[in-house]
Amino acid sequence: MIDTREKAFFRRDGQWFIGTDAARGPWSADACHAGPVTGVIARACEQAAPLKQLTRLTVTFLRPLPMSGFRVDAELEREGLNVATVAASMTDADGRQCASATSLHLVAQRFDALPTATVPHPSFEEATSGQFPVEKAIHDLPFFGNGIDIAYPPGESGAPGPTTMWMRALPMLEDEKPSPFQSLCPLADCGNGISRNCDFNTATFVNPDLTVVAYRLPESDWLASEAISFWEPSGIGMSHATLYDTRGALGIALQSLIIRPVG
């Protein structure tokens, strides 16, 4: 059987990032999944502050990011001895701002072992392959969930509720190896889907923002998210995910959620 999956989330056309099928989100046929988009933003922020380690990235999604193309502009706001900050903006072909972002970059040094907290972490060796939690998008077109590799720890299946899931995602661009932080972004934006409290036929659970904090950069291709979602009768919620590589915990991802019943 021929593998027809995409080799990357985006292709370049000058300054524009054009989405492949793998970048398409589940909500609209014409809009990108926010995870790969966040990876592209991380790429721009890292290029704007190359001397320090990207540690925190917060993105606010103002409108859908078009599959047909968007551009990213990032500007170094502050460069100190230990800290740098970057502001980024994403616009569509009509010049409308689709997303804004801020990033924090810190100087990474090497010390002898320092005391730290340790937490249990899922074992990748015990995980088995499975399907993306959202197996079918609303629009019935190929989308993000079709273009990535998924595995689950024993006892997990991707059913609604708090869930741990392993993912191996695509690069942002076919001819470019993503940085460790960029590789983390597609998974980081999946917390709301991984830990949804019901499926699409009952409610939608769109995230208008994403914050990723990585106190350690991932060291493996396979990454895991241990996610839980809190939904309130107000229609407002939050997804909280602890992020792992095969060595252990390395950061968190937070999403605000807009929950709307279907029908």
Side-chain angles (χ1 to χ4, degrees):
M1 181 176 179
I2 298 174
D3 188 352
T4 58
R5 294 190 306 177
E6 302 286 357
K7 294 184 169 115
F9 288 119
F10 300 99
R11 62 179 178 84
R12 290 291 296 276
D13 183 5
Q15 65 184 349
W16 300 100
F17 290 86
I18 314 297
T20 67
D21 282 342
R24 183 179 287 110
W27 311 110
S28 168
D30 301 320
C32 294
H33 188 286
V37 168
T38 302
V40 171
I41 297 174
R43 175 182 181 272
C45 292
E46 288 178 322
Q47 291 177 349
L51 301 181
K52 296 178 175 65
Q53 180 174 307
L54 177 54
T55 304
R56 190 265 301 154
L57 177 63
T58 297
V59 184
T60 300
F61 303 103
L62 306 173
R63 54 171 46 91
L65 273 297
M67 289 280 291
S68 57
F70 58 84
R71 59 176 288 175
V72 186
D73 296 288
E75 181 179 357
L76 182 67
E77 286 193 318
R78 175 174 177 258
E79 180 85 70
L81 183 62
N82 292 300
V83 178
T85 58
V86 173
S89 179
M90 308 184 76
T91 54
D92 63 17
D94 295 323
R96 298 177 300 178
Q97 186 181 32
C98 298
S100 62
T102 59
S103 61
L104 177 72
H105 307 249
L106 303 178
V107 168
Q109 299 186 15
R110 293 293 176 264
F111 301 101
D112 293 335
L114 296 174
T116 187
T118 58
V119 296
H121 62 88
S123 170
F124 176 69
E125 288 72 21
E126 297 177 351
T128 56
S129 63
Q131 297 294 318
F132 189 66
V134 180
E135 296 184 24
K136 186 177 179 181
I138 290 175
H139 44 66
D140 287 334
L141 291 176
F143 79 115
F144 176 84
N146 307 133
I148 51 179
D149 295 321
I150 299 297
Y152 291 100
E156 299 272 14
S157 64
T163 301
T164 299
M165 185 188 81
W166 289 93
M167 176 191 293
R168 181 171 61 183
L170 298 171
M172 302 304 115
L173 298 166
E174 185 174 346
D175 59 352
E176 184 178 299
K177 181 178 175 61
S179 72
F181 196 104
Q182 293 170 37
S183 297
L184 194 60
C185 292
L187 174 65
D189 187 65
C190 288
N192 59 333
I194 295 171
S195 63
R196 69 207 182 284
N197 292 314
C198 65
D199 277 322
F200 277 147
N201 59 345
T202 303
T204 59
F205 33 91
V206 177
N207 61 298
D209 70 354
L210 170 65
T211 294
V212 185
V213 179
Y215 52 85
R216 177 174 66 82
L217 293 177
E219 301 172 11
S220 58
D221 291 336
W222 281 94
L223 303 169
S225 173
E226 183 180 55
I228 184 170
S229 286
F230 302 92
W231 294 5
E232 287 298 311
S234 62
I236 296 173
M238 182 191 75
S239 172
H240 176 284
T242 302
L243 305 174
Y244 304 86
D245 63 5
T246 55
R247 175 182 149 194
L250 57 85
I252 63 167
L254 295 174
Q255 299 165 297
S256 302
L257 301 179
I258 301 171
I259 302 113
R260 295 293 183 265
V262 172

